Every structure is written in structure tokens, then in C-alpha cells.
């Protein structure tokens, strides 16, 4: 099986027609489904959070068969992910897409779990510490995208599980847990 | 018997004819009886054979295929019913029934990709992958027998020949001669262009496009506009192995 780094590419990736948006409904639906799954899997395993439509995202081109997704096709597949709640457009012109291979709710659950695991129920931490502190090592929170992290934290704040506050310096947002 | 002239002679001839006729009937009956007896002997020998080689028949596809041929020669169909001697002895009815169900599943699962037409080789490959843990190996011959049983159910399953390949059709789509010729042409590279169809089959442009578009609409073809030469290619998943390009773990 062909690989991209350590990611096993599904075989449809090597079949040229899949790089052209199919006109027939049933065929198109299947095509979109396959691409959605592959994009999510790839982003999950490579920990990619943002896809730029005009950039060289590896999945958009297959050099072996010399095919590349048109802009329209990229839009179509990513829009499908957005409709599924697995992605969000970051700008009005749809140039950048935030990929939620974990939904925001899932990230929130992971944070809660992390808090409980480390006995941080009433503690205070900086936002940065959540994603790069020692406790985060070995967990999925480690190295996570800051935008996504903030979204998850805001969700939890809304549920009364924590409070976000500004620290002493601009970079230093903090979180007080009340789990 | 000597011919005697006169009425006496005629009567004798008539009597002789009657006797011959009776003899003839007897002989015919004898022959039939003999044949019946031979057939019944053969059948019971076949049954003994099946009993003795039950395991081989179950496990070895080549052996199984030859066994079927033998049965066919004597007019025995082990798959005719799920009850009775054969089914109980060999459990072979169950085997083909199970195969049939799996084949239907695979065809349904791959339908969105290939429009309901899958090549036999591909189908068998997927079947084997699915049956990895099963004891019995499966051959193309087994697939064909299972499919012929499916046909009896009127489920629209059929095996068609296109060029050198056998394709299994699981949708009511009828392929006309034009479609068949395109599929045969596509077997070479997996795809065709309008130009190629026109040229190789000496068709008018309208005819080629019509046929290709209807194949596209049926889900049997996919378009590819990505080649450098900008010529649209029509690819046919059913003549290549694309059907197994889907996560086979979903099957």
C-alpha cells in the first residue's frame, strides 16, 4: 500500500477518476464519503488542524498518477466535512479550514478527563500549560492547536466547568477549574 | 422362419410380426429397466462416494467442482433442495446459501463504486477476504454456482461475458451491444476516450457519447478530466479492481 509518511493511503487514492468531481449523484456521494474519511484520518494521525485550500496539502495531489484536485473539488470535500460538523471555515472566502478530527465536544471531554486524572479539579493553569505542560505529555492534549483548545475551553466555561481569565501578560491566559 | 404362401402364410407372418412386436416391447422395457437399475446403482455409488469424501468435497474447491460434474452427469443436483439426503450428508446446500448471501452483500456494498457490475475475479477475491476465518476455500466455480442459485430467486443476478472477462451483474440494468463493446474496449487500459471509441469501433460521435453517457448515468463509468491532454476519460471500475479499493473492512 502506498504511504504518505507513515499514513497508509486508501487504494481509491490511486484511481484517477476520484480526482474529478463526479456528476452522477450516487457516485458523487460515495466519492465525497471516501475523501471525507481519508482527510479526517490523515489529519488525525498527522495532527493537522488547519488545511489551506490553496496550499500544498499532500492529499490534494497524487504525483504517481499525476492527478490533482481542482479548487472546486477541494471546496466540495471540505464543505462536506463542515456540514458534518467535522470542520469549520476560518474565513469568509473559504481559504482556510479548521479540521475537527475530534469534535469540540470531544476535546472538552478530553480536557475534563485530563483534569480529573491529574487532580486539578480546583486548580489554576495557564492555557499554554494545558497543551504543553508536563502533565499533558503522552496525552492527546499535548501540542494541540490553540484555536481548538480555546474553543473547547469556552464550551466548558459555558457549562460552568471552568473560568477563563487574563493573566499578567498578553500570552498568559489562565483557567480556573471548578470541575 | 420360412415364408409360406397362401392365407396360412399371411397369418403366420402376422403372428410373427406380433411376436416380434412383443419382443421389441420387452426389449425396450428391459433396456429401460436396465438403465434404471444402472442409474440407481450409480446413484448409490455416488452417495457412497460422497459419504466417504465428505471432507474433501467441503475443503477442496477443485474436487468439489469435479464432484458437481459427476452429479450433473447422473442427473443429481446436490443443491436442488436444502433438505433431503444430499443437504444432510454434505451440508452443501448451506455452504452455497451462505456464499450467496455473502455475494449479495458484497455486490450491494460495491454498487456505489461500480454501478452494480463487478468482475468475477474481483468478487471472488473480496469473498475470500471476507471468509478468511472460514474453513472452506472458495473457487470461481463455487461463486458461479452460488450465483446461479441466486438467479432462481429472481434477484436480478446474472453473469455476463465481456471479452475475456466474466462480470457479475446485480442490477436490472440491461447492457446493450454498444455498452458491451465499450466495456470490452475498456478492458485494455481500464478507460476509454470518446475519440478512441469512435475510431476503434467506427461509430459516429453521437453514438459514442450517448453510450458513454448512459453508462455514466447507470453508475458504471466515472469521468476523469485530470489528464494533461485535457481529454475526458471514462473509467470503468467493473473491469479493474477498483471495487476492492474501498475499505474492505466495511464488507
Amino acid at each position: 500500500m502506498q504511504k504518505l509518511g507513515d499514513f497508509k493511503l486508501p487504494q481509491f487514492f490511486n484511481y484517477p477518476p476520484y480526482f474529478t468531481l463526479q456528476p452522477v449523484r450516487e457516485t458523487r456521494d460515495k466519492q465525497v464519503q471516501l475523501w471525507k474519511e481519508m482527510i479526517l484520518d490523515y489529519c488525525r494521525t498527522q495532527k493537522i488542524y488547519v488545511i489551506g485550500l490553496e496550499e500544498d496539502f499532500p492529499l490534494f495531489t497524487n504525483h504517481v498518477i499525476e492527478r490533482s484536485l481542482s479548487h472546486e473539488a477541494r471546496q466540495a470535500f471540505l464543505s462536506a466535512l463542515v456540514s458534518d460538523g467535522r470542520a469549520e471555515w476560518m474565513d469568509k472566502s473559504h481559504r482556510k479550514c479548521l479540521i475537527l478530527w475530534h469534535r469540540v465536544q470531544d476535546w472538552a471531554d478530553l480536557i475534563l478527563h485530563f483534569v480529573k486524572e491529574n487532580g486539578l479539579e480546583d486548580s489554576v493553569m495557564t492555557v499554554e500549560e494545558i497543551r504543553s505542560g508536563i502533565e499533558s505529555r503522552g496525552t492527546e492534549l499535548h501540542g494541540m492547536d490553540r484555536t481548538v483548545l480555546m474553543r473547547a475551553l469556552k464550551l466548558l466555561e459555558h457549562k460552568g466547568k471552568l473560568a477563563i481569565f487574563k493573566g499578567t501578560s498578553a500570552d498568559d491566559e489562565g483557567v480556573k477549574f471548578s470541575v | 422362419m420360412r415364408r409360406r404362401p397362401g392365407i396360412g402364410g399371411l397369418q403366420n407372418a402376422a403372428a410373427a410380426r406380433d411376436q416380434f412386436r412383443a419382443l421389441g416391447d420387452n426389449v425396450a422395457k428391459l433396456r429401460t429397466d436396465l438403465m434404471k437399475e444402472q442409474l440407481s446403482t450409480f446413484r448409490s455409488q455416488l452417495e457412497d462416494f460422497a459419504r466417504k469424501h465428505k471432507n474433501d468435497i467441503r475443503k477442496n474447491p477443485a474436487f468439489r467442482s469435479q464432484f458437481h460434474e459427476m452429479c450433473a452427469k447422473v442427473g443429481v443436483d446436490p443443491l436442488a433442495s436444502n433438505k433431503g439426503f444430499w443437504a444432510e450428508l454434505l451440508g452443501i446446500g448451506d455452504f452455497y446459501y451462505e456464499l450467496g448471501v455473502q455475494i449479495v452483500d458484497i455486490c450491494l456494498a460495491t454498487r456505489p463504486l461500480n454501478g452494480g457490475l463487478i468482475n468475477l475475479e474481483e468478487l471472488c477475491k473480496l469473498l475470500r477476504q471476507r471468509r478468511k476465518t472460514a474453513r472452506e476455500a472458495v473457487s470461481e466455480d463455487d461463486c458461479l454456482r452460488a450465483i446461479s442459485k441466486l438467479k432462481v430467486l429472481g434477484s436480478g443476478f446474472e453473469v455476463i461475458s465481456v471479452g475475456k472477462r466474466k462480470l457479475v451483474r446485480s442490477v436490472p440494468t440491461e447492457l446493450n451491444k454498444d455498452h458491451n463493446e465499450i466495456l470490452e474496449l475498456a478492458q485494455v487500459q481500464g478507460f476509454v476516450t470518446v475519440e478512441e471509441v469512435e475510431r476503434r469501433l467506427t461509430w459516429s460521435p453521437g453514438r459514442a457519447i450517448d453510450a458513454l453517457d448512459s453508462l455514466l448515468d447507470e453508475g458504471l463509468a466515472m469521468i476523469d478530466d485530470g489528464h494533461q491532454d485535457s481529454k475526458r476519460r471514462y473509467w470503468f471500475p467493473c473491469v479493474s479492481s477498483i471495487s476492492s479499493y474501498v475499505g474492505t473492512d466495511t464488507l
Side-chain angles (χ1 to χ4, degrees):
Chain A
M1 221 181 228
Q2 212 182 318
K3 282 193 182 178
L4 206 59
D6 59 347
F7 179 73
K8 281 199 187 135
L9 288 162
Q11 297 248 42
F12 84 85
F13 189 72
N14 291 322
Y15 199 56
Y18 279 101
F19 282 80
T20 301
L21 270 182
Q22 294 302 307
V24 175
R25 174 73 151 311
E26 211 186 322
T27 319
R28 157 89 69 117
D29 287 345
K30 189 65 188 179
Q31 178 188 28
V32 170
Q33 188 208 331
L34 289 170
W35 274 96
K36 277 195 301 187
E37 279 170 19
M38 181 177 65
I39 291 172
L40 273 183
D41 279 342
Y42 182 74
C43 290
R44 181 184 301 121
T45 57
Q46 310 300 307
K47 303 237 191 268
I48 291 172
Y49 295 84
V50 178
I51 294 178
L53 255 78
E54 275 136 35
E55 286 155 30
D56 274 329
F57 185 59
L59 294 183
F60 288 162
T61 305
N62 184 337
H63 295 285
V64 177
I65 58 168
E66 292 176 326
R67 293 291 187 279
S68 201
L69 286 178
S70 66
H71 187 83
E72 196 197 346
R74 298 173 193 200
Q75 282 269 1
F77 301 148
L78 290 174
S79 294
L81 278 174
V82 172
S83 299
D84 278 0
R86 305 310 299 256
E88 281 173 15
W89 291 112
M90 293 171 81
D91 57 335
K92 280 217 176 88
S93 49
H94 291 192
R95 285 218 209 101
K96 280 196 189 294
C97 195
L98 184 70
I99 308 296
L100 298 167
W101 35 270
H102 278 323
R103 291 171 206 270
V104 175
Q105 178 59 60
D106 299 332
W107 284 114
D109 290 340
L110 282 168
I111 292 168
L112 281 181
H113 180 80
F114 166 78
V115 165
K116 287 177 187 155
E117 281 284 296
N118 291 283
L120 300 163
E121 285 88 340
D122 288 309
S123 313
V124 174
M125 268 182 115
T126 64
V127 169
E128 198 50 39
E129 271 180 310
I130 295 175
R131 71 183 201 110
S132 60
I134 297 180
E135 291 98 340
S136 73
R137 291 214 197 120
T139 72
E140 290 202 69
L141 301 180
H142 192 75
M144 87 180 265
D145 178 84
R146 193 155 165 126
T147 316
V148 180
L149 177 55
M150 286 312 297
R151 295 282 302 284
L153 290 174
K154 290 214 171 94
L155 180 66
L156 287 168
E157 187 178 48
H158 190 70
K159 292 196 172 160
K161 301 283 186 183
L162 51 86
I164 306 171
F165 58 89
K166 277 220 171 305
T168 45
S169 61
D171 279 337
D172 209 353
E173 271 178 300
V175 178
K176 163 97 176 66
F177 296 110
S178 38
V179 174
Chain B
M1 211 165 276
R2 245 186 50 212
R3 282 245 181 102
R4 283 164 58 199
I7 296 211
L10 281 170
Q11 279 174 335
N12 272 343
R17 263 201 306 277
D18 282 338
Q19 279 182 337
F20 270 128
R21 196 178 303 130
L23 188 61
D25 285 342
N26 274 340
V27 169
K29 185 166 184 299
L30 254 172
R31 241 194 247 140
T32 314
D33 284 347
L34 198 62
M35 246 180 22
K36 278 192 188 150
E37 199 186 302
Q38 280 182 335
L39 223 52
S40 132
T41 309
F42 201 93
R43 279 213 181 110
S44 66
Q45 285 184 335
L46 201 57
E47 287 169 10
D48 282 343
F49 181 88
R51 232 186 297 259
K52 225 188 280 176
H53 297 274
K54 183 163 136 182
N55 274 328
D56 286 322
I57 293 168
R58 273 219 181 104
K59 289 195 183 146
N60 185 330
F63 197 84
R64 184 160 59 233
S65 165
Q66 297 203 330
F67 174 70
H68 276 292
E69 273 182 44
M70 277 200 316
C71 288
K73 285 203 174 109
V74 235
V76 168
D77 182 1
L79 307 183
S81 111
N82 218 23
K83 305 178 197 154
F85 170 76
W86 293 102
E88 281 163 29
L89 175 69
L90 301 172
I92 229 175
D94 284 342
F95 169 68
Y96 286 101
Y97 176 74
E98 194 187 297
L99 221 58
V101 170
Q102 289 174 327
I103 287 171
V104 171
D105 269 352
I106 289 171
C107 287
L108 285 177
T110 57
R111 194 177 287 180
L113 296 161
N114 56 30
L117 209 60
I118 181 172
N119 82 65
L120 183 63
E121 216 181 293
E122 195 49 34
L123 176 61
C124 285
K125 182 171 147 200
L126 290 171
L127 202 52
R128 279 182 212 122
Q129 280 179 5
R130 205 186 197 208
R131 294 175 60 89
K132 251 186 274 191
T133 52
R135 288 170 306 153
E136 303 109 346
V138 166
S139 66
E140 275 184 20
D141 184 81
D142 290 323
C143 284
L144 289 172
R145 283 184 203 279
I147 291 166
S148 68
K149 291 299 150 191
L150 285 173
K151 267 174 81 175
V152 165
L153 298 175
S155 45
F157 275 75
E158 200 168 0
V159 179
I160 60 178
S161 288
V162 172
K164 293 186 205 141
R165 282 216 177 91
K166 287 202 170 71
L167 304 179
V168 178
R169 197 193 74 191
S170 60
V171 284
T173 316
E174 285 293 333
L175 288 181
N176 62 33
K177 198 159 171 295
D178 279 5
H179 294 153
N180 253 54
E181 288 192 67
I182 290 178
L183 279 177
E184 206 176 325
L185 196 59
Q187 279 183 22
V188 182
Q189 291 180 284
F191 68 86
V192 295
T193 59
V194 175
E195 194 185 67
E196 207 184 320
V197 172
E198 286 167 15
R199 193 175 19 104
R200 306 267 240 119
L201 304 177
T202 54
W203 287 0
S204 68
R207 186 174 171 190
I209 291 254
D210 277 346
L212 286 169
D213 277 346
S214 71
L215 285 167
L216 190 66
D217 284 335
E218 294 293 342
L220 295 172
M222 292 177 77
I223 54 165
D224 166 30
D225 291 333
H227 198 273
Q228 259 188 347
D229 64 13
S230 317
K231 287 193 198 141
R232 171 169 283 189
R233 282 159 169 68
Y234 291 79
W235 290 79
F236 293 87
C238 62
V239 303
S240 51
S241 313
I242 187 56
S243 307
S244 65
Y245 284 6
V246 187
T248 44
D249 35 287
T250 60
L251 290 177

